[in-house]
Amino acid sequence: FRGDAHRALRGSETLIEIAGRNGSAFYLMLGTIQRGWARARLDGGDSGLAEFRQAMAKYFEHGNRFSAPLYEGLYAELEAERQSADAALTRIDEASALAQQTGERRIDVLLHRIRGDILCRVHPDDPAPAEQAYLAAIAVAQQQSARSFGLQAAFALAKLYQSTGRPVEAHDVLAPALEGFSPTPEMAEIAEGQALLAELAEKVGATARRSTAKLS
C-alpha cells in the first residue's frame, strides 16, 4: 500500500515459505503475486513485470478475486512507467469497474490516484484530467476516512498545481491533508509534504507581500 518494495519482497518471501510448508495454495499464490510486484518495482525492467503478470494470471485462473482490483491497479501503475500509458489507463478503468462488481471499495482512493498519475503521462500538456482524478481520490478518501490514501492523492495534486504555477491551490489542498500527521519512516509523503508545504507557504507569502507593496 505504501510502495515499499524492499519490505514487501521480504514479507512475500516469508509468506511463500510458510504457505509452502503448510500446503496453503491460496496464500502461496498471494505471496507469489506480491513478490512479483516487489521484483517488478525493484528491477526497473520488464522481467519483474512479466513475473507479476504471470502470478496474477495463475491466481485469476483459480477463480480468485480477492484484492484483484488492487493487483490490477498496481500492474497498471508499472505498465504506465515501463510500457504503454494508454494501455495502463484502460487497465485502471477495468480495475475500478472490477472493484464496483466485487464490492471491494477499500482501494477506490488508490485507484483514482493511480489514474491521476497515469493521466499525467498520457496528457502531459493538459493537467485537467489528472486534476479531476486526484480530486476524485481526495473526495472518496474523505467519505471513507482514508486519510493516508487521501494524503497521497493530495500530495500528488499539490505537486501538479505547483508544476503548473498554482502555488495557492497547491497549499490549500495539501495543508488540510497533512493535519494531524507526524513524519514517519513508513510514509515518506508526510515529511515530503511538509517540506513542500513550507516551500509553498513561503512562495504564497512572498506573492502576498509583493501585492501589498504595490498597493502601498
Side-chain angles (χ1 to χ4, degrees), residues 89 92-93 108-120 127-141 153-154 156-157 160:
L89 190 58
I92 202 71
D93 289 339
D108 281 357
V109 182
L110 178 65
L111 294 178
H112 282 301
R113 195 266 300 159
I114 292 174
R115 178 185 285 108
D117 294 344
I118 296 171
L119 285 166
C120 284
E131 178 184 4
Q132 292 305 310
Y134 291 141
L135 287 171
I138 293 168
V140 175
L157 180 57
L160 178 65

Side-chain angles (χ1 to χ4, degrees), residues 21-132:
R21 190 170 63 238
N22 291 284
S24 175
F26 176 74
Y27 285 105
L28 182 61
M29 286 187 287
L30 281 183
T32 303
I33 288 175
Q34 292 162 12
R35 183 181 64 186
W37 172 81
R39 287 178 173 173
R41 175 53 70 194
L42 291 170
D43 74 3
D46 290 339
S47 60
L49 197 60
E51 179 183 347
F52 186 24
R53 185 73 251 172
Q54 290 166 5
M56 289 170 58
K58 182 177 180 180
Y59 180 72
F60 297 152
E61 284 171 6
H62 285 75
N64 296 304
R65 289 295 179 268
F66 173 73
S67 289
L70 169 63
Y71 298 142
E72 290 287 4
L74 293 176
Y75 188 88
E77 187 174 41
L78 289 164
E79 187 177 34
E81 297 171 4
R82 313 278 174 82
Q83 297 177 345
S84 168
D86 288 319
L89 190 58
T90 298
R91 188 179 302 279
I92 202 71
D93 289 339
E94 293 172 349
S96 296
L98 182 59
Q100 291 183 352
Q101 293 170 12
T102 62
E104 194 172 345
R105 311 309 299 272
R106 64 193 174 94
I107 61 160
D108 281 357
V109 182
L110 178 65
L111 294 178
H112 282 301
R113 195 266 300 159
I114 292 174
R115 178 185 285 108
D117 294 344
I118 296 171
L119 285 166
C120 284
R121 293 178 178 273
V122 175
H123 304 292
D125 298 324
D126 181 10
E131 178 184 4
Q132 292 305 310

